[in-house]
Amino acid sequence: MTIISTQGKLRRTVVGGMIALAAAAPIALASAPAQATTTSSSCSVTPLRPYFVGFNSSGVKLVRYKVTVKCSADRSIAIEQRRYDTVPSPDKYLGQSVLKHTFGSTGTVSLWVTQALPETGAGNEHVRQRVRFRVASHGVTSAWTSWEYSPTLSIPN
């Protein structure tokens, strides 16, 4: 009898623990960074969450859209970056840049564009970037990669 009672308690403890773990999983995933890295032709690019960097001389908020780039030696990379306000849907296009860098040796750099935050309506602004890239090395240029989005920044007007 004692063995059955102990097994029942153990089963309830295990099942209860699994339910608690399942309930906590979405919270843990929601707090994890959602940065995607794309790798192609011995280069990796990660679009980072935009961030507030201050105000311009007119008092308008400035947002930096940054990417981290890691490449092997003897590579030149061209990154097409597009910036968006995500609310209201569909995304509102804010601008585009092409970021370029040449790697003589293997390394990691950060490249960015700083842009004034547009006021597109009441409430917070929600901005993000998407990037794609191609790599040139020894006279050969790769195709463009697929687009990758950064996490979204929510910033008050």
Side-chain angles (χ1 to χ4, degrees), residues 38-94:
T38 299
T39 300
S40 176
S41 304
S42 298
C43 289
S44 298
V45 174
T46 306
L48 304 175
R49 179 188 315 275
Y51 59 96
F52 172 73
V53 292
F55 298 90
N56 67 14
S57 59
S58 301
V60 176
K61 292 177 184 150
L62 297 173
V63 174
R64 181 157 295 155
Y65 299 85
K66 189 174 182 180
V67 295
T68 300
V69 184
K70 180 178 182 179
C71 282
S72 295
D74 301 320
R75 303 276 187 282
S76 293
I77 191 165
I79 303 164
E80 185 177 357
Q81 176 197 62
R82 294 184 182 176
R83 298 172 297 278
Y84 297 92
D85 183 348
T86 65
V87 175
S89 188
D91 290 357
K92 180 181 177 189
Y93 177 76
L94 301 177

